[in-house]
Amino acid sequence: MLTLFPRWGQKVPELPEVETIRRCLEPMVVQRFIKSVWVKRESRLLRDTVSARDFRSRLLGRKIQGLSRRGKYLKFELSRAELLLVHFGMTGSLFFTKHGEKLPAHTHLVIGLSKGDLVLADPRTFGRLMLTGPDGPHPALAKLGPEPLARSFNGPRLFNGLAGRRAALKSILLSQGAVAGVGNIYSDEACFAAGVRPTRPAGSLSALEAGALASSIKKVLKKSIELKGCTISDYHWDQGRSGGFQDRLKVYGREGLACARCGSIIQRAVISGRSAFFCPGCQR
DNA sequence: CAAAGAACCTGGCGGC
DNA sequence: TGCCGCCAGGTTCTTT
């Protein structure tokens, strides 16, 4: 029986969830050939960068040689130096299913492989598909900061990325330039673990605080990957099985509840339109 | 150039 | 039961 992964209706945005998907799909897609491509005509996910017709013809017949990840982007490394980038936006989902299974609503792409189909659905269409040929890396990737789990990302590197910035720490973390792959959940969790408030001006962090934050980012992301990401709403990483990190959340989504560490009431602030949760007792 | 806010979309939820 | 406003894991464009 083939694994359906993830279940329909899931949402897959931040680095640990994308990495969970990558690890699950890799053994099912690598070394397989693309035998068919169905892409919704005029799919918004293509963003006018390539026509549906060209997109299809450039994928057909290629071999999937590798599946990797950069930040929140999933990268299908195809034969003849073609690269397919998938970004999931807020509601994108990608799963492997048997041929001929009923497709979920908002399906935008079906890639037929030898033993099943890769299906991409995205109700809100904030996700995007990018095809980059032998000309080189896509500009979207060039804007990304260091990979948080790489050795090259450390306290001094983060300190430099925050230096001189007056915007809220949370805004800088979400902008992907100081570090890649951190989103709304994990920025709050990492700030809590490091004892700094997400509302602080980014440049106000000391070298010591930036070091603690860099370590916390690594720690939180690694732990979540280990637990197969967060299950919030209806995201599942496999049939009926959930990711486990949502039970480890210390502040995200916990406005008005007592902090498990110090008992203070967790607060919510709005930072450039996004919710930020923090503990006034544990974070300075 | 940097920062803040709007825009892009659909769907689920709680309140009335 | 409906209808309405609010909220959602992200990025990009516009405005200040």
Side-chain angles (χ1 to χ4, degrees):
Chain A
M1 164 137 177
L2 288 170
T3 309
L4 286 178
F5 168 79
R7 279 178 55 182
W8 297 2
Q10 66 137 28
K11 294 154 189 164
V12 186
E14 299 190 42
L15 186 150
E17 290 76 22
V18 178
E19 178 62 19
T20 299
I21 287 184
R22 192 198 68 74
R23 292 181 181 186
C24 187
L25 288 182
E26 188 174 41
M28 296 190 256
V29 304
V30 171
Q31 305 295 23
R32 297 265 165 81
F33 284 89
I34 296 177
K35 301 171 83 172
S36 66
V37 175
W38 176 87
V39 58
K40 192 175 185 177
R41 217 161 60 90
E42 315 293 336
S43 171
R44 213 178 82 84
L45 300 200
L46 297 177
R47 296 290 197 286
D48 298 328
T49 54
V50 59
S51 69
R53 180 201 160 104
D54 287 351
F55 181 84
R56 182 175 178 276
S57 68
R58 283 171 66 177
L59 288 184
L60 266 178
R62 308 260 174 167
K63 184 181 185 183
I64 301 175
Q65 294 176 321
L67 187 61
S68 56
R69 179 192 56 72
R70 173 82 172 96
K72 302 171 190 171
Y73 290 87
L74 194 60
K75 298 163 68 173
F76 288 84
E77 295 153 7
L78 308 178
S79 53
R80 283 176 287 147
E82 193 76 85
L83 186 63
L84 171 64
L85 299 177
V86 180
H87 194 289
F88 295 102
M90 298 269 263
T91 53
S93 56
L94 181 64
F95 50 93
F96 193 72
T97 184
K98 284 179 283 190
H99 290 306
E101 289 272 308
K102 186 168 180 251
L103 298 175
H106 309 291
T107 294
H108 286 256
L109 174 68
V110 181
I111 295 178
L113 304 176
S114 51
K115 290 188 176 169
D117 293 331
L118 268 174
V119 177
L120 176 71
D122 184 359
R124 285 177 79 181
T125 66
F126 287 175
R128 65 192 309 172
L129 295 168
M130 288 168 289
L131 210 44
T132 131
D135 296 340
H138 194 277
L141 293 186
K143 289 191 242 172
L144 295 180
E147 198 59 32
L149 299 181
R151 288 184 88 84
S152 57
F153 176 69
N154 54 22
R157 186 91 188 266
L158 181 59
F159 184 71
N160 281 341
L162 303 179
R165 308 297 297 270
R166 275 169 296 186
L169 174 59
K170 170 121 184 170
S171 298
I172 304 300
L173 292 177
L174 292 183
S175 68
Q176 309 297 303
V179 58
V182 175
N184 213 22
I185 294 176
Y186 300 103
S187 62
D188 282 1
E189 294 301 310
C191 286
F192 174 82
V196 294
R197 296 193 187 190
T199 49
R200 290 258 302 271
S204 74
L205 267 70
S206 66
L208 200 66
E209 289 174 319
L213 184 55
S215 306
S216 296
I217 289 170
K218 287 175 188 283
K219 193 177 70 182
V220 164
L221 294 178
K222 277 183 190 166
K223 190 69 191 174
S224 183
I225 290 170
E226 193 183 304
L227 295 172
K228 306 223 174 350
C230 269
T231 295
I232 287 181
S233 182
D234 52 0
Y235 162 87
H236 291 274
W237 70 274
D238 197 354
Q239 288 187 336
R241 297 161 77 186
S242 304
F245 198 77
Q246 71 284 350
D247 299 329
R248 304 289 186 106
L249 297 178
K250 302 287 198 288
V251 288
Y252 183 83
R254 297 180 53 81
E255 181 187 17
L257 299 175
C259 169
R261 186 166 161 272
C262 80
S264 303
I265 299 303
I266 292 164
Q267 296 182 4
R268 171 178 177 263
V270 175
I271 298 172
S272 48
R274 314 288 308 272
S275 288
F277 301 90
F278 65 95
C279 170
C282 296
Q283 295 168 261
R284 302 285 145 184

